[in-house]
Amino acid sequence: MGKRSYHEQMDINNICKLRELIQGLPPFVTDFFRGIEPTTASRTRIAYAYDLQVFFHYLQENHPAFLNLSFSDITVTMLDQIKAIDLEKYMEYLRYYRTGSSGASDDTENLSMDRMNTELGIKRKISSLKSFYHYYFCKELIQTNPAALITLPKLHEKEIVRLDVDEIALLLDEVESGDKLTDRQKYYHEKTKVRDLAILTLMLGTGIRVSECVGLDMDDVDFKNSGIHIQRKGGKNVIVYFGDEVEEALLFYAEERKKIIPADNNENAFFLSLQKKRISVRSVENMVKKYARTVTSLKRITPHKLRSTYGTSLYRETGDIYLVADVLGHSDVNTTRRHYAALEEDRRRNARNKVQLREKP
């Protein structure tokens, strides 16, 4: 049997994690996760499990019908005892709550911690409940669906944080030189600068997600056709094409990569850590943060912000929102349009004098 790909291994890890989380939920919840498995990604189901743990712990502490009940005593029919007003109270609770040793298990270290949710966090948790109730209502296992009566919180659009053109150049220059790094960082920089430049150039030049970047295997990089084979969210396999600057950085790293003997079971990974294992998402996040701090102290730059930077640059150059959506892998162009609404406003403003009605004297 051949070695598993990065994405296959991640799916297996996520499935094992999900099974562990389900053990900490009422037994009937297993049916829900089995039912949504064909239409959801493993990471989505893990997020649902965390959200449901918060919900059931809230019921244990606040709803009369669930007080002092263990999770094993909670049955699916008890969901009918929850009204829409109870879910509105739950939304209010989500703004701030405290987890303890028996609290919500999204606290992986099982320590008492304060929790706060933004509008986006609250919306996600209520969306999880809507899916949860919808499943059992459609299966005719409950008589009511109070979650369907709840209005999701309105999200206030945030300005997209991205690097300006001059900041992109400064960032890549810093990756090459390391001049502004600390002495300790410079020591490691000498060992990783070729790899780091390849990763940041690739992300800034293609807009791929950090998970897609670390998941690259040796045979996913096609220099002949200037493309990389990646697996998008949802499991869709696509080819993303790169330009000359990206090609140069990747070729330089590929030569260095040939000289490295990878750790066992990491032979096919393209980007390697200093431990000669596949580089992790967290490592790339820390790398981006390290270099970005030397360029801008006001912007919190993450790998996703590099993706936004690429999307912004591509849209400014082409003006084609559908092309941007396709290259970034957005399934709905409206998602892209929301992200780049400010740029569209600029384009509309700049177009105000493009149509001339009468010749000027």
Side-chain angles (χ1 to χ4, degrees):
M1 183 177 178
K3 289 185 172 62
R4 299 187 183 96
S5 71
Y6 168 79
H7 297 287
E8 289 172 338
Q9 187 59 53
M10 288 302 296
D11 267 343
I12 291 173
N13 294 346
N14 287 341
I15 289 170
C16 292
K17 179 63 177 178
L18 179 61
R19 289 174 179 171
E20 176 187 331
L21 292 172
I22 290 175
Q23 294 300 312
L25 288 166
F28 72 89
V29 172
T30 303
D31 297 329
F32 167 67
F33 286 102
R34 186 186 304 114
I36 65 173
E37 190 274 335
T39 58
T40 57
S42 55
R43 289 182 62 183
T44 299
R45 297 195 295 279
I46 286 176
Y48 281 179
Y50 281 132
D51 293 344
L52 289 175
Q53 284 194 344
V54 175
F55 177 61
F56 281 109
H57 280 294
Y58 167 79
L59 293 178
Q60 282 182 321
E61 297 171 359
N62 297 276
H63 195 287
F66 294 83
L67 289 177
N68 300 319
L69 285 181
S70 67
F71 278 2
S72 60
D73 295 327
I74 299 176
T75 63
V76 64
T77 56
M78 294 180 69
L79 295 179
D80 279 321
Q81 300 185 48
I82 300 170
K83 307 302 179 186
I85 189 67
D86 296 319
L87 298 185
E88 289 180 351
K89 292 177 181 177
Y90 175 58
M91 286 177 64
E92 177 63 27
Y93 165 84
L94 288 174
R95 296 189 181 280
Y96 168 78
Y97 59 97
R98 168 164 288 197
T99 61
S101 59
S102 61
S105 69
D106 51 345
D107 178 3
T108 54
E109 295 183 357
N110 229 14
L111 300 174
S112 177
M113 294 182 66
D114 292 335
R115 298 285 181 182
M116 294 184 69
N117 279 288
T118 61
E119 293 168 336
L120 183 62
I122 294 173
K123 181 177 180 179
R124 194 199 81 177
K125 286 180 169 57
I126 298 303
S127 295
S128 298
L129 269 189
K130 283 179 174 286
S131 297
F132 183 68
Y133 263 94
H134 177 74
Y135 172 81
Y136 289 107
F137 187 72
C138 289
K139 295 296 181 183
E140 299 181 322
L141 294 174
I142 55 176
Q143 304 300 313
T144 59
N145 185 2
L149 306 175
I150 299 299
T151 302
L152 292 173
K154 182 178 179 180
L155 300 182
H156 294 85
E157 295 295 332
K158 295 182 179 179
E159 181 183 1
I160 295 181
V161 176
R162 57 177 77 84
L163 291 171
D164 298 329
V165 174
D166 60 328
E167 291 173 333
I168 296 173
L170 288 172
L171 177 65
L172 295 179
D173 287 346
E174 181 59 31
V175 177
E176 284 188 313
S177 69
D179 289 342
K180 297 180 181 178
L181 300 177
T182 66
D183 290 340
R184 178 176 174 79
Q185 288 174 334
K186 287 179 180 178
Y187 173 78
Y188 290 104
H189 173 258
E190 286 300 315
K191 303 173 183 291
T192 66
K193 62 181 178 181
V194 174
R195 182 205 65 190
D196 295 353
L197 184 62
I199 289 176
L200 267 71
T201 304
L202 175 63
M203 297 181 73
L204 282 166
T206 61
I208 62 173
R209 296 177 175 88
V210 62
S211 60
E212 296 163 351
C213 178
V214 303
L216 283 175
D217 286 334
M218 295 292 288
D219 53 2
D220 287 331
V221 184
D222 181 0
F223 288 108
K224 181 179 179 181
N225 295 294
S226 300
I228 52 173
H229 174 271
I230 62 172
Q231 187 177 109
R232 291 290 196 194
K233 289 171 65 176
K236 182 179 180 181
N237 293 300
V238 301
I239 295 176
V240 174
Y241 296 97
F242 51 77
D244 294 341
E245 290 177 286
V246 175
E247 180 179 23
E248 182 181 354
L250 290 179
L251 278 170
F252 197 19
Y253 171 72
E255 287 302 313
E256 186 175 273
R257 171 67 177 79
K258 292 176 183 177
K259 304 171 186 175
I260 303 173
I261 300 176
D264 290 345
N265 300 317
N266 290 269
E267 292 84 359
N268 206 29
F270 188 67
F271 290 117
L272 296 175
S273 68
L274 286 174
Q275 290 73 39
K276 301 180 181 180
K277 297 179 179 180
R278 184 185 298 274
I279 196 168
S280 67
V281 169
R282 178 62 61 85
S283 294
V284 176
E285 290 172 341
N286 290 336
M287 178 208 308
V288 171
K289 184 189 299 183
K290 175 181 68 177
Y291 290 118
R293 281 174 175 168
T294 68
V295 174
T296 173
S297 59
L298 299 179
K299 298 177 181 177
R300 182 175 176 271
I301 302 300
T302 64
H304 191 74
K305 301 302 188 295
L306 301 185
R307 180 170 158 82
S308 297
T309 298
Y310 173 78
T312 299
S313 300
L314 183 62
Y315 186 52
R316 280 180 174 150
E317 290 296 322
T318 66
D320 189 339
I321 199 71
Y322 292 94
L323 175 63
V324 176
D326 182 54
V327 172
L328 292 181
H330 290 164
S331 57
D332 183 356
V333 72
N334 289 320
T335 300
T336 318
R337 199 181 302 280
R338 284 197 302 273
H339 281 115
Y340 301 99
L343 294 180
E344 290 208 302
E345 181 64 27
D346 288 342
R347 292 181 68 244
R348 287 194 293 270
R349 186 182 299 111
N350 293 334
R352 67 189 188 282
N353 289 321
K354 294 296 184 183
V355 177
Q356 188 173 325
L357 304 180
R358 293 189 292 178
E359 290 188 10
K360 295 180 179 179

